[in-house]
Amino acid sequence: MMSTEYLLPVLRLTVVLVLVTLAGSAFALDEAQFRSQVEEFLADEALPQFELEGSMRTQDAQDWPDEGVVRAKVGQEERRREHYVILDEASGAVVGFIAAEPTPPVPMDEMPAEEAVGIAKQFAQRHLPELFADGGEVAVTVEDEISPRGGRVVHLQRTVQGVQVPTLADVGVRVYDGKVVHWRRHHVPAAEGLQLPGTVDLDQAKQIASENVPYKDHAPVFWFDEAHRVIVTNEGQRNVWDLWAEIKQATTPEKRLEFFAHWQIDATSGEVLLSDGIDPGKDVDLRRRYYAAGGQHVSPDYGRPQPEVIVEDRQPIFAPDGSILFLSDRPREGYPAWLRHSGGLFAMNADGSELRCVSAAHEGEMPQFSPDGSRMLVREQDGLHVLPLDGGEEVFVPKPSGGDFLSAGWASDTMLLADSGDAFGGGELMKVDLTQPEPTAEPAGIPRGTGENFISFAPAPDGTVLCGFYGQREGNDWDIIRINLSVDPATTEVVCADPQEGRGLQLLDNGMLVLSDTRLSRDSSPTFVLSLADGTVQKWQAPRMEMPGTDGKRLLQPMEVAFSPDGARMVFSARVEDLAREKAPAVLIFTANADGTDVQQVTPWESALVPMAE
């Protein structure tokens, strides 16, 4: 029995938790307060149609720009493809909507921006008529980029005498069907007696700001954002000039970015409501605004914000015929550029010609070719797919009951090896005899302990199979082992104990085993080479290679290196940036001789639609 000494603190804690729970529930929205409003809103034909959730629970709105709101999931089409509404926490009114990302493939159509503006205005008139009330105007801006939901966002801002008031709407219109996939409404009635536009013009506001710089001996050198708007404060609404500038001391080097400053100047009285200094390194979005407005100075501590790559080509390999296969998010039929879907399998000739999409929705790993080059193996979520390159019939090996194929590879032209397992660490090494009419995975006769895995397989000319083995016998071990299936029972021997980890094994004709990390998150992982003759491992150092056409001004940093079977030529991915900053960076595919000579860029920088292979 628990003593009183320990029981009292537990009781006190229980009471506190109950009170906190009751206090929290007192302010939580009950579904009865908002469901009817949600149903009425979602009945609008401009919204995507989906089955409404039977029960809606509210939660934090997660970075929604307005305060006093919560969100509720209202529908789900597929895993991780969910629809949400944003609710006013006090009234339960719908003030926002976030549609699920579309399920590819999608139509390739893209409506003109003017048509999206018309749809956005009509939708806003139905759900925020105050935006278009008499006595004001609506300023319209349209974002160039299309969101991952396929929406082109139209910003509608109410202005009165040229001053932005706190009534606005953001409407994301899906480019291929005109559906509204994003909605944000914000309305605060203008206060009576608010003087608009005020008596202080922009030049006067900048002069006042220049005389009230937040840091001593600093002065504005570049104004990069300015707006005349009404803000809501604890003391009521104020008509202000909202100003942003780069500031620096006279002694600061000319090219160095030192500080930003933010002011709010009352447009009626000239009163300084805010004068705040900001370290540029602490706000990447603010730095983006600065550079977008034409800012030129850079801090050596953090530099310019890195823009998103326009295209990403990854994991290139040589096919048996000398062509190149790779994964990419390039646009292809059903996968427009804005969708940025990385699961496309592409092929091209070794010189980059005849670029084509082999599979628009490739969900598996990079293919592995049989030793004779006649078939390729692809491991996907449902099992193993063996595809003849001459167009013959596919062989499918379903995954084991209650588990998955964690890795798979060729043991010979007619045999596969696969490591099966489940979430609890159980499983074993399996073999698949492709000469059987309906091949299935059978135990290979090699035990595997809990927490151990066979990762990557490379068939050797002598009929054995080289394999990466990860285990927990004496800590975390990573070995290269040799598997012999020609004897009964099958045997294993360690070829190299604890080499540098490499999850992609490639055996070259010269007896060198290339170890490379094939995980996309490991861009900077080095490549190692194991000599089967003496078991030594050496780090492979990429030779100095210049990006073609840059006259030595841009060096390439190879990622995901793969070699031709004879080891004479290599293919790799590398991030490239435009020195003139006229186009966004990209991750592209290059080829070169093993010594770094004859570097060729083989995928284009542009993100154009790639045709499907016939």
Side-chain angles (χ1 to χ4, degrees), residues 132-151:
F132 303 90
D134 293 338
E137 298 178 347
V138 176
V140 180
T141 55
V142 185
E143 292 189 6
D144 293 331
E145 293 188 3
I146 299 171
S147 76
R149 291 172 173 78

Side-chain angles (χ1 to χ4, degrees), residues 1 15 18 38 76 118 230 255 300 327 502 515 555 571 593 612:
M1 182 175 178
V15 171
V18 169
V38 169
Q76 181 167 333
V230 173
K255 296 182 178 181
L327 297 177
L515 316 177
L555 297 180
V571 61
N593 292 330
M612 296 298 299

Side-chain angles (χ1 to χ4, degrees), residues 282-293:
K282 296 181 179 179
D283 194 329
V284 65
D285 291 332
L286 189 56
R287 295 207 312 276
R288 293 185 191 279
R289 285 165 53 191
Y290 167 75
Y291 289 116

Side-chain angles (χ1 to χ4, degrees), residues 35-88:
R35 188 174 184 94
S36 62
Q37 299 180 80
V38 169
E39 291 175 346
E40 181 180 357
F41 171 78
L42 294 177
D44 193 307
E45 293 184 355
L47 296 168
Q49 300 303 301
F50 53 87
E51 184 176 349
L52 201 62
E53 291 281 294
S55 177
M56 306 175 196
R57 295 183 179 181
T58 59
Q59 54 186 267
D60 181 74
Q62 294 185 355
D63 299 328
W64 192 256
D66 304 320
E67 298 180 353
V69 298
V70 293
R71 75 170 187 169
K73 188 178 81 169
V74 293
Q76 181 167 333
E77 297 185 10
E78 289 184 3
R79 183 172 176 264
R80 295 184 179 179
R81 298 187 184 276
E82 300 168 334
H83 304 274
Y84 292 95
V85 292
I86 308 298
L87 305 170
D88 179 81

Side-chain angles (χ1 to χ4, degrees), residues 315-326 348-351 366-367 369 506 561-572 590-592:
Q315 293 190 14
I317 59 171
F318 284 109
D321 63 0
S323 62
I324 297 172
L325 291 179
F326 63 98
M348 60 186 169
N349 296 334
D351 61 359
M366 285 300 296
F369 294 97
Q506 182 185 10
V561 179
F563 292 88
S564 58
D566 60 5
R569 195 140 181 96
M570 59 181 168
V571 61
F572 58 90
F590 296 81
T591 61

Side-chain angles (χ1 to χ4, degrees), residues 214-351:
Y215 298 139
K216 184 179 179 181
D217 298 328
H218 284 68
V221 294
F222 178 64
W223 302 90
F224 63 89
D225 199 356
E226 54 201 35
H228 194 179
R229 58 168 54 104
V230 173
I231 63 172
V232 180
T233 71
N234 292 333
E235 291 76 31
Q237 295 183 11
R238 302 291 291 265
N239 169 23
V240 304
W241 285 103
D242 206 20
L243 307 175
W244 296 84
E246 175 191 2
I247 61 172
K248 62 170 53 179
Q249 300 181 85
T251 56
T252 302
E254 170 60 27
K255 296 182 178 181
R256 181 182 175 86
L257 176 60
E258 189 175 6
F259 288 111
F260 293 139
H262 178 207
W263 297 268
Q264 289 179 338
I265 310 297
D266 191 294
T268 301
S269 66
E271 179 186 356
V272 179
L273 304 180
L274 175 70
S275 176
D276 190 19
I278 301 143
D279 180 353
K282 296 181 179 179
D283 194 329
V284 65
D285 291 332
L286 189 56
R287 295 207 312 276
R288 293 185 191 279
R289 285 165 53 191
Y290 167 75
Y291 289 116
Q296 297 297 320
H297 301 155
V298 178
S299 168
D301 299 329
Y302 37 77
R304 291 175 180 263
Q306 291 294 322
E308 184 178 5
V309 297
I310 189 174
V311 66
E312 192 168 13
D313 301 332
R314 306 299 300 264
Q315 293 190 14
I317 59 171
F318 284 109
D321 63 0
S323 62
I324 297 172
L325 291 179
F326 63 98
L327 297 177
S328 181
D329 59 4
R330 290 181 177 272
R332 59 272 189 198
E333 191 62 37
Y335 295 78
W338 56 262
L339 196 59
R340 293 301 302 268
H341 194 282
S342 60
L345 180 62
F346 293 77
M348 60 186 169
N349 296 334
D351 61 359

